[in-house]
Amino acid sequence: AFSGTSSAAPALAGAATVLISALKQENIPVNAATVVNALRLSGRRLKNEPFIFQGYGLPQVEEALNIYKSLIRGTSFEEVQVTIDRDSVD
Protein backbone atom coordinates (compact mmCIF):
# COMPACT_ATOMS: atom_id res chain seq x y z
CA ALA A 1 0.00 0.00 0.00
CA PHE A 2 1.12 3.52 -0.77
CA SER A 3 -0.35 6.04 1.63
CA GLY A 4 0.42 8.75 4.15
CA THR A 5 3.00 11.43 3.54
CA SER A 6 4.77 9.17 1.02
CA SER A 7 1.87 9.58 -1.38
CA ALA A 8 0.53 12.95 -0.19
CA ALA A 9 3.78 14.90 -0.62
CA PRO A 10 4.24 14.28 -4.37
CA ALA A 11 0.51 14.77 -5.03
CA LEU A 12 0.48 18.07 -3.16
CA ALA A 13 3.70 19.19 -4.86
CA GLY A 14 1.98 18.57 -8.19
CA ALA A 15 -1.07 20.60 -7.10
CA ALA A 16 1.21 23.44 -5.97
CA THR A 17 3.04 23.33 -9.30
CA VAL A 18 -0.22 23.60 -11.24
CA LEU A 19 -1.38 26.48 -9.02
CA ILE A 20 1.92 28.34 -9.42
CA SER A 21 1.81 27.81 -13.18
CA ALA A 22 -1.72 29.29 -13.29
CA LEU A 23 -0.56 32.27 -11.22
CA LYS A 24 2.36 32.90 -13.57
CA GLN A 25 0.09 32.65 -16.63
CA GLU A 26 -2.07 35.40 -15.12
CA ASN A 27 1.01 37.46 -14.12
CA ILE A 28 0.09 37.22 -10.44
CA PRO A 29 3.01 37.42 -7.99
CA VAL A 30 3.80 34.10 -6.31
CA ASN A 31 4.15 33.91 -2.53
CA ALA A 32 4.96 30.44 -1.18
CA ALA A 33 3.13 30.84 2.15
CA THR A 34 0.01 32.07 0.37
CA VAL A 35 0.17 29.13 -2.07
CA VAL A 36 0.27 26.73 0.90
CA ASN A 37 -2.64 28.46 2.63
CA ALA A 38 -4.73 28.61 -0.55
CA LEU A 39 -4.27 24.87 -1.07
CA ARG A 40 -5.16 24.17 2.58
CA LEU A 41 -8.26 26.32 2.44
CA SER A 42 -9.38 24.69 -0.83
CA GLY A 43 -9.33 21.18 0.66
CA ARG A 44 -12.56 19.22 0.33
CA ARG A 45 -13.09 16.91 3.29
CA LEU A 46 -13.53 13.24 2.49
CA LYS A 47 -16.63 11.61 3.93
CA ASN A 48 -16.19 9.07 6.69
CA GLU A 49 -12.48 9.82 7.12
CA PRO A 50 -11.16 11.41 10.32
CA PHE A 51 -8.96 14.49 10.07
CA ILE A 52 -5.96 12.49 11.25
CA PHE A 53 -6.09 10.41 8.04
CA GLN A 54 -6.92 13.12 5.53
CA GLY A 55 -5.52 16.36 6.89
CA TYR A 56 -7.14 19.31 5.15
CA GLY A 57 -8.79 17.06 2.57
CA LEU A 58 -8.45 16.84 -1.19
CA PRO A 59 -7.06 20.11 -2.64
CA GLN A 60 -9.17 21.76 -5.34
CA VAL A 61 -6.69 23.65 -7.54
CA GLU A 62 -9.25 25.88 -9.28
CA GLU A 63 -10.71 26.84 -5.91
CA ALA A 64 -7.18 27.39 -4.56
CA LEU A 65 -6.55 29.85 -7.41
CA ASN A 66 -9.67 31.83 -6.44
CA ILE A 67 -8.69 31.73 -2.76
CA TYR A 68 -5.15 32.87 -3.60
CA LYS A 69 -6.50 35.86 -5.52
CA SER A 70 -8.72 36.73 -2.57
CA LEU A 71 -5.82 36.47 -0.14
CA ILE A 72 -3.49 38.73 -2.11
CA ARG A 73 -6.27 41.30 -2.64
CA GLY A 74 -6.64 41.46 1.12
CA THR A 75 -10.31 40.50 1.02
CA SER A 76 -9.52 37.49 3.17
CA PHE A 77 -6.95 36.63 5.79
CA GLU A 78 -3.41 35.88 4.65
CA GLU A 79 -2.15 33.36 7.16
CA VAL A 80 -3.71 30.39 8.90
CA GLN A 81 -2.47 29.49 12.34
CA VAL A 82 -3.56 26.13 13.71
CA THR A 83 -3.52 25.33 17.42
CA ILE A 84 -3.96 21.73 18.51
CA ASP A 85 -5.23 20.92 21.97
CA ARG A 86 -3.41 17.67 22.62
CA ASP A 87 -5.60 16.94 25.62
CA SER A 88 -8.79 16.72 23.58
CA VAL A 89 -10.05 13.87 21.41
CA ASP A 90 -9.98 14.34 17.62
Side-chain angles (χ1 to χ4, degrees), residues 11-12 15-16 38-40 42-44 56-64:
L12 195 52
L39 286 167
R40 282 182 183 158
S42 76
R44 182 176 48 197
Y56 289 93
L58 183 63
Q60 307 298 302
V61 177
E62 189 171 342
E63 179 66 14

Side-chain angles (χ1 to χ4, degrees), residues 46-60:
L46 305 173
K47 292 181 182 181
N48 302 320
E49 287 293 328
F51 179 82
I52 192 79
F53 293 129
Q54 66 173 306
Y56 289 93
L58 183 63
Q60 307 298 302

